[in-house]
Amino acid sequence: MFKQSSIFQYRLEDEAIDLRKQAEGMAHGGRRNELLLIASRIETSVKWLDSPGLRAPT
């Protein structure tokens, strides 16, 4: 049985992959950069969730 947080992490990872795929087909510019930035932030969040020793930013 998966923990709810694990399922959430998988959903976040899938979202980051989808955003990067969307960005691949776009010309360089504002919207593409925005999608890549969001994907990067999601990936950072997943790493943070997966690291038991880290604390939330204050």
Side-chain angles (χ1 to χ4, degrees), residues 12-24:
L12 286 174
E13 290 170 351
D14 286 344
E15 182 66 19
I17 291 168
D18 288 342
L19 290 171
R20 288 194 181 279
K21 285 180 183 176
Q22 286 178 41
E24 280 180 17

Side-chain angles (χ1 to χ4, degrees), residues 3-19 42-43 46 49:
K3 289 182 175 181
Q4 188 171 0
S5 63
S6 296
I7 294 169
F8 180 62
Q9 285 176 263
Y10 291 129
R11 288 176 51 207
L12 286 174
E13 290 170 351
D14 286 344
E15 182 66 19
I17 291 168
D18 288 342
L19 290 171
I42 290 171
E43 291 162 350
V46 169
L49 289 171

Side-chain angles (χ1 to χ4, degrees), residues 2 20 24 26 30 33-36 42-44 46 50:
F2 289 103
R20 288 194 181 279
E24 280 180 17
M26 295 181 163
N33 292 342
E34 183 181 349
L35 292 176
L36 293 173
I42 290 171
E43 291 162 350
T44 300
V46 169
D50 203 30

